[in-house]
Amino acid sequence: QVQLAESGGGSVQAGGSLRLSCEADGYTMSHNCMAWFRQAPGKAREGVASIFTYGGITNYVDNVKGRFTISTDNAKKTVYLEMNNLKPEDTAMYYCAARRDSAAWQCAPGGDFNYWGQGTQVTVSS
């Protein structure tokens, strides 16, 4: 059984940084797709970044490009989201997601994912 557990959220001021982690217990890290999503109160969930775990191919949505970096440590079965220059509009619950089977070309911060974590809150104050 796959379980995803996020950590690292918190409250920061605008311009600050946070690093989120997601441990993927029971998940096959190689040749698969993992992503970070977020959902702000009253808004739809949106994909933020994705990574294909073989080769580290990454994709980002436009409003986080240059500020966020997704990466993995396959040996630790962990995916990270490094967030720099945070803005108040980044405030949201952040979720880790993983897909059961995926090709590299299918890996993007959107679409269907099979496994989800419980989320970690990120709050950015102005």
Side-chain angles (χ1 to χ4, degrees):
Q1 183 176 357
V2 175
Q3 291 186 320
L4 305 180
E6 302 97 334
S7 61
S11 297
V12 296
Q13 290 191 325
S17 299
L18 283 172
R19 188 194 197 201
L20 306 183
S21 299
C22 172
E23 294 186 34
D25 188 38
Y27 183 64
T28 301
M29 288 293 288
S30 63
H31 295 80
N32 241 323
C33 182
M34 300 189 76
W36 287 94
F37 288 75
R38 65 186 180 187
Q39 187 167 21
K43 293 188 177 182
R45 186 175 63 198
E46 65 168 344
V48 174
S50 65
I51 186 165
F52 191 69
T53 56
Y54 182 79
I57 302 168
T58 58
N59 284 288
Y60 300 91
V61 293
D62 286 345
N63 57 5
V64 306
K65 282 181 181 177
R67 300 189 299 123
F68 290 11
T69 303
I70 187 171
S71 63
T72 62
D73 184 330
N74 288 359
K76 294 182 178 180
K77 292 195 172 185
T78 301
V79 60
Y80 303 98
L81 186 67
E82 183 77 32
M83 305 184 295
N84 298 312
N85 190 20
L86 282 161
K87 304 176 180 180
E89 52 264 41
D90 295 317
T91 295
M93 185 72 79
Y94 282 71
Y95 298 91
C96 172
R99 190 170 285 158
R100 186 162 48 234
D101 294 296
S102 180
W105 66 268
Q106 297 172 310
C107 191
D112 294 328
F113 282 77
N114 303 101
Y115 311 107
W116 293 85
Q118 294 298 309
T120 185
Q121 178 68 37
V122 172
T123 303
V124 185
S125 58
S126 58

